[in-house]
Amino acid sequence: MTAPRPVGDATRPLLSVRDLTKHFPIKRGVFGRVTGQVRAVDGVTFDVAPGETLALVGESGCGKSTTGRAILRLIEPTSGTITFDGEDVRALDSTGLRKLRRRMQIVFQDPFSSLNPRMSIGAIVREGLTIHRLAEGSAADARVRQLLEEVGLRPEYSSRYPHEFSGGQRQRVGIARALSVEPTFIVCDEPVSALDVSVQAQVVNLLQDLQRDRGLAYLFIAHDLSVVEHIADRVAVMYLGHVVELATVERLYSEPIMPYTQALLSAVPAPEPGVKRERILLAGDVPSPANPPSGCVFHPRCQHPARDAACAKIVPPLEEKAPGHWAACIKQPPTTVSWEQQRDAGGTNPPEFFLPRAALHRSA
Amino acid sequence: MADDAGLLSVRNLRTYFYTDAGVARAVDGVSFDVAVGETVGLVGESGCGKSVTAFSIPRLIRPPGRIEAGSEIFFQGEDLVLKDEKYLQGIRGNRVAIVFQEPMTALNPVFTIGDQIGEVARIHAGMSKRDAWAKAIEMLKLVGIPAPEQRAGEYPHQLSGGMRQRVVIAMALVMNPALVIADEPTTALDVTIQAQILELLADLTRRLGTSVLLITHDLGVVAENCTRVIVMYAGEVVEEASTADLFARAHHPYTEGLLGAMPRVGREKDRLATIPGTVPPPTSWPEGCRFRDRCPYSWERCAAEHPPLYQIGGGHTSRCHLADEPERRQHPHPPLAAQRGATAA
Ligand SMILES: Nc1ncnc2c1ncn2[C@@H]1O[C@H](COP(=O)(O)OP(=O)(O)OP(=O)(O)O)[C@@H](O)[C@H]1O
Ligand SMILES: Nc1ncnc2c1ncn2[C@@H]1O[C@H](COP(=O)(O)OP(=O)(O)O)[C@@H](O)[C@H]1O
Ligand code: SF4
Ligand code: SF4
Ligand SMILES: [Mg+2]
Ligand SMILES: [Mg+2]
């Protein structure tokens, strides 16, 4: 299987993630006996190009944050490779990791718990400058003021504490902290999910301005598909630890291929009164990642008319269905899993393209 | 007030909290109606008073909070403000039910969900333990929980977030209430589960004629589910209209701002409009128009005169002097909050 490449000219990716896996042991009893594994991230592959925004979407618990944290090695991956700017991230020692975190930063979802309540916001923003010995004394003070201004906070606020600020303002502090070390890549883990729509718009605009001015690349983790459509260049859809679809925003919203993506898009509320969207209502709940279904992890809930016994047997590869459009489904042609293979696995329905109207948001 | 279709009629509701920082006028003179079988949306940013309004209706406000004298809450013709606790207990969970944002706060972790749903039937309908258990299973089936007989014996932590929210809805509907107050019932849920829950609520209102007050900050949810919308800002109703009218002809600059800030799938990707600044603290609402600092049209009159709810026509009201001087809309300027630095604390 060739790995998904960024669309457009084949520039060298800034970040390459290959077959990334993170399993958490399930421990029981007083001796902490390991009785199983939560397969939080299970073979995730994607690239991020310089200056690009790749969105990572999917339902709660599907492994988005774990992926983001594993890339920065805030948690240790179980297996897989992570290459950042040509460097093997998993091979780095602690000195190497510290250097890496100058170029790769993270902004967290919860603006209320991600800032140390006992540090002034000036000290929070300044910390990175000190750790990476980028500035000291009055030069550092000046830099902190400049960063606060850049994210739309008044420099006089630097002596105030996080509790004195609103959610949107705290999120700006988190962004200023990430920017302080001048990274080229930021993992944004649901940076606007906790915010009101009005404040969300301010933070989204800020992230876009910073990207334009500094050429930043983002891995933008989110569950709001309207925000994602607005901010992302490409989108990776996750389900139960797997990337099940990866495409440009334009393609994903006009021709979603993987049946799970289709259901997800159909669930987005339409902000047009009187327009009642058709819905693909998924049966049941997301299964536990401690005990994922066999074959295609989506098969117990899939609405594809050709779904059959082969879906429960064969793990669908993430394959390029159209230029730059990757999806994991053996029933959506073209597929490298031949009809013979599918029949041998008990398949009864040959692949046939399926795109319900309910899944469409753009008249393309 | 007590017109024929009127189920709920809130008049001049004021709910204040007496805190160390001063008097928080969280809800400050709110009036609205909900008719039988109607789903009304209540929207606004965090801290605008939506939840306090919701909690005030079945009189669930606890000290230091207080519903002020002069407030009226007519429910099925009776003013709840004048009723004693015994009467209110007979109403809550029976004729008025609340669905909270976080299902875990509404569920007791040490009882099975069957016991908790059944409890409502035992209290309000005097059912036997056995009948109540059967009722619980019937309700779980109604809200689409698979294998309800088995699930009834499980504890809240054994369910997913979406299932817990269905259980809370099942609990709310046991007594076939006339009014369901749903406070951000889907905010903590994923979009696919949200679609399922809203579909379920809509189906139940169609079949049982229940009225719903749906509190949300998602205007997409409002567009799809509500016939009418009430917009709150700084403890007041600032605009009210039919959903179609509100989206087509929003009058209040605050509503305009909320609509502009919302990214919409399938639309051209302009830069998102923003509302600079934030909701002021409820201990010190600004004089004059409370939205003035964040408004791109404000002029002298807005500082001097607190705007009344103007009639725009066709049941559409707006608390904005532009109703009186529409030509002012031709001259927008950067709001004060933006001039001071977008995010002044
Ligand atoms: N118990 C209380 N004591 C003091 N102030 C309170 C109390 N409860 C609410 N408030 C204040 O009343 C105002 C309105 O609160 P409310 O929770 O109704 O807002 P909301 O619009 O529903 O916000 P959110 O969307 O965050 O729930 C807020 O400023 C809040 O801080
Ligand atoms: N420290 C941990 N121990 C055990 N399970 C975990 C841990 N962290 C995450 N998980 C599990 O991994 C899965 C993915 O989690 P996460 O990446 O946080 O999801 P999300 O997509 O919501 O960000 C979930 O099932 C979660 O419960
Ligand atoms: S592989 Fe089968 S079960 Fe999986 S998405 Fe495709 S049709 Fe559905
Ligand atoms: S009254 Fe004045 S300040 Fe208030 S919303 Fe209308 S124009 Fe803006
Ligand atoms: Mg997460
Ligand atoms: Mg609330």
Side-chain angles (χ1 to χ4, degrees):
Chain A
M1 182 186 114
T2 44
R5 303 232 66 92
V7 287
D9 59 318
T11 46
R12 192 171 82 160
L14 179 65
L15 173 73
S16 261
V17 176
R18 291 291 172 275
D19 293 315
L20 182 69
T21 300
K22 176 64 189 179
H23 294 174
F24 293 104
I26 304 171
K27 292 184 180 154
R28 288 272 152 73
V30 274
F31 301 110
R33 206 161 42 87
V34 175
T35 57
Q37 302 283 333
V38 175
R39 304 162 80 94
V41 175
D42 213 8
V44 158
T45 289
F46 59 78
D47 285 344
V48 180
E52 173 187 48
T53 299
L54 176 71
L56 202 52
V57 306
E59 285 168 282
S60 149
C62 72
K64 306 178 297 291
S65 304
T66 305
T67 301
R69 281 160 209 242
I71 290 169
L72 274 99
R73 279 188 56 200
L74 294 171
I75 51 176
E76 282 304 326
T78 306
S79 64
T81 58
I82 303 162
T83 315
F84 183 75
D85 216 357
E87 203 164 8
D88 178 358
V89 171
R90 291 198 60 206
L92 296 175
D93 59 10
S94 59
T95 318
L97 261 185
R98 208 187 63 216
K99 286 196 182 130
L100 175 82
R101 295 206 184 117
R102 248 205 82 178
R103 290 175 290 153
M104 230 195 224
Q105 281 284 315
I106 186 162
V107 174
F108 294 101
Q109 163 168 11
D110 181 358
F112 296 92
S113 63
S114 62
L115 302 176
N116 183 341
R118 283 179 297 276
M119 281 169 78
S120 70
I121 66 160
I124 289 169
V125 175
R126 196 188 169 111
E127 203 175 25
L129 298 175
T130 312
I131 291 173
H132 295 286
R133 302 199 187 90
L134 299 175
E136 292 177 332
S138 60
D141 292 341
R143 183 80 188 107
V144 167
R145 277 197 304 275
Q146 191 188 355
L147 283 161
L148 291 177
E149 232 159 30
E150 199 166 350
V151 299
L153 290 169
R154 302 165 86 184
E156 311 86 275
Y157 290 170
S158 75
S159 58
R160 297 203 192 169
Y161 288 82
H163 73 265
E164 298 175 61
F165 293 89
S166 68
Q169 289 173 321
R170 288 184 223 206
Q171 208 52 292
R172 288 170 194 270
V173 174
I175 293 169
R177 172 174 62 182
L179 288 176
S180 68
V181 298
E182 295 180 22
T184 46
F185 174 68
I186 302 181
V187 173
C188 303
D189 190 357
E190 311 237 14
V192 296
S193 302
L195 306 175
D196 275 315
V197 61
S198 48
V199 182
Q200 167 183 295
Q202 295 170 7
V203 175
V204 164
N205 287 346
L206 171 65
L207 288 171
Q208 288 186 314
D209 291 347
L210 292 170
Q211 179 167 57
R212 189 195 53 221
D213 298 345
R214 297 167 167 247
L216 285 169
Y218 295 133
L219 181 67
F220 189 87
I221 299 173
H223 66 257
D224 183 331
L225 291 158
S226 317
V227 173
V228 164
E229 198 225 17
H230 185 83
I231 200 169
D233 299 306
R234 292 189 307 142
V235 184
V237 181
M238 281 187 77
Y239 186 79
L240 269 184
H242 298 260
V243 169
V244 294
E245 186 153 5
L246 178 61
T248 60
V249 163
E250 291 72 22
R251 289 233 16 135
L252 195 90
Y253 286 74
S254 61
E255 197 178 316
I257 291 177
M258 165 72 191
Y260 173 66
T261 313
Q262 296 176 348
L264 202 59
L265 284 173
S266 85
V268 178
E272 317 284 342
V275 178
K276 189 78 187 166
R277 287 190 57 81
E278 279 178 60
R279 288 275 139 75
I280 301 166
L281 292 178
L282 291 179
D285 286 288
V286 183
S288 160
N291 188 16
S294 61
C296 171
V297 283
F298 187 56
H299 86 259
R301 309 174 77 198
C302 180
Q303 78 284 7
H304 196 298
R307 180 186 66 155
D308 60 21
C311 296
K313 286 255 177 64
I314 299 171
V315 178
L318 184 64
E319 48 192 5
E320 198 166 15
K321 305 278 187 184
H325 193 152
W326 301 72
C329 174
I330 61 171
K331 296 299 179 186
Q332 292 286 58
T335 174
T336 54
V337 181
S338 69
W339 172 228
E340 287 67 39
Q341 282 169 278
Q342 296 192 25
R343 248 193 337 226
D344 289 348
T348 47
N349 306 324
E352 189 173 2
F353 192 72
F354 171 64
L355 180 58
R357 246 190 39 208
L360 299 182
H361 275 270
R362 295 184 161 199
S363 28
Chain B
M1 255 148 276
D3 60 77
D4 304 338
L7 172 73
L8 175 72
S9 203
V10 174
R11 285 292 167 273
N12 193 27
L13 174 67
R14 287 180 301 137
T15 307
Y16 292 179
F17 293 89
Y18 295 83
T19 70
D20 294 342
V23 181
R25 293 183 286 154
V27 174
D28 204 12
V30 160
S31 301
F32 64 91
D33 297 271
V34 178
V36 172
E38 187 184 30
T39 297
V40 178
L42 184 57
V43 303
E45 291 164 289
S46 272
C48 282
K50 307 180 298 292
S51 300
V52 174
T53 301
F55 281 75
S56 298
I57 293 167
R59 298 263 315 273
L60 286 170
I61 301 295
R62 299 281 167 260
R66 195 171 83 192
I67 295 182
E68 300 295 306
S71 308
E72 295 173 312
I73 303 166
F74 290 96
F75 176 70
Q76 295 182 326
E78 305 276 351
D79 186 354
L80 299 185
V81 173
L82 306 175
K83 298 295 181 185
D84 61 12
E85 186 59 25
K86 187 154 175 283
Y87 181 93
L88 295 167
Q89 276 174 6
I91 281 205
R92 292 182 201 131
N94 186 7
R95 288 190 275 154
V96 180
I98 293 207
V99 176
F100 298 99
Q101 171 162 359
E102 179 34 66
M104 270 324 250
T105 59
L107 295 172
N108 190 326
V110 304
F111 292 109
T112 64
I113 58 170
D115 278 337
Q116 297 188 55
I117 300 171
E119 170 97 349
V120 180
R122 288 172 59 195
I123 292 176
H124 291 293
M127 276 190 197
S128 69
K129 216 171 160 160
R130 186 198 213 121
D131 288 349
W133 187 263
K135 181 76 183 170
I137 289 170
E138 178 196 323
M139 295 312 296
L140 288 174
K141 212 176 278 167
L142 182 76
V143 296
I145 301 247
E149 290 83 1
Q150 178 208 323
R151 290 294 183 180
E154 294 185 354
Y155 293 87
H157 74 266
Q158 292 172 279
L159 307 181
S160 71
M163 277 203 236
R164 277 183 217 139
Q165 196 56 292
R166 282 165 201 249
V167 169
V168 172
I169 292 176
M171 249 163 96
L173 295 173
V174 172
M175 297 308 297
N176 191 6
L179 175 67
V180 173
I181 300 171
D183 188 4
E184 312 248 10
T186 57
T187 302
L189 303 176
D190 285 309
V191 55
T192 53
I193 317 271
Q194 165 175 298
Q196 290 172 10
I197 301 270
L198 292 173
E199 196 65 45
L200 171 70
L201 267 179
D203 181 52
L204 294 169
T205 53
R206 265 194 306 270
R207 282 194 285 151
L208 308 176
T210 316
S211 304
V212 181
L213 182 64
L214 181 63
I215 300 174
T216 173
H217 61 254
D218 186 336
L219 289 157
V221 167
V222 168
E224 284 199 8
N225 296 279
C226 302
T227 41
R228 224 148 37 78
V229 196
I230 297 159
V231 184
M232 274 189 82
Y233 185 75
E236 300 180 306
V237 172
V238 295
E239 185 156 14
E240 180 181 339
S242 71
T243 307
D245 245 17
L246 192 94
F247 278 77
R249 286 174 290 278
H251 184 275
H252 200 283
Y254 179 58
T255 314
E256 229 177 34
L258 289 178
L259 288 169
M262 178 177 56
R264 302 184 189 202
V265 170
R267 288 289 179 83
E268 62 299 333
K269 295 190 210 173
D270 294 338
R271 193 178 165 77
L272 293 174
T274 63
I275 309 175
T278 48
V279 181
T283 42
S284 52
W285 299 134
E287 296 297 312
C289 174
R290 294 180 182 177
F291 187 60
R292 178 168 43 100
D293 276 13
R294 307 175 71 190
C295 180
Y297 310 108
S298 64
W299 71 100
E300 299 75 16
R301 183 174 176 188
C302 308
E305 197 185 320
H306 182 244
L309 263 183
Y310 291 94
Q311 296 289 335
I312 310 295
H316 190 158
T317 55
S318 170
R319 194 180 289 285
C320 171
H321 293 310
L322 287 171
D324 212 23
E325 301 182 43
E327 65 285 354
R328 296 268 179 187
R329 214 186 272 274
Q330 307 314 316
H331 309 291
H333 55 75
L336 280 171
Q339 293 167 22
R340 274 204 318 261
T343 55

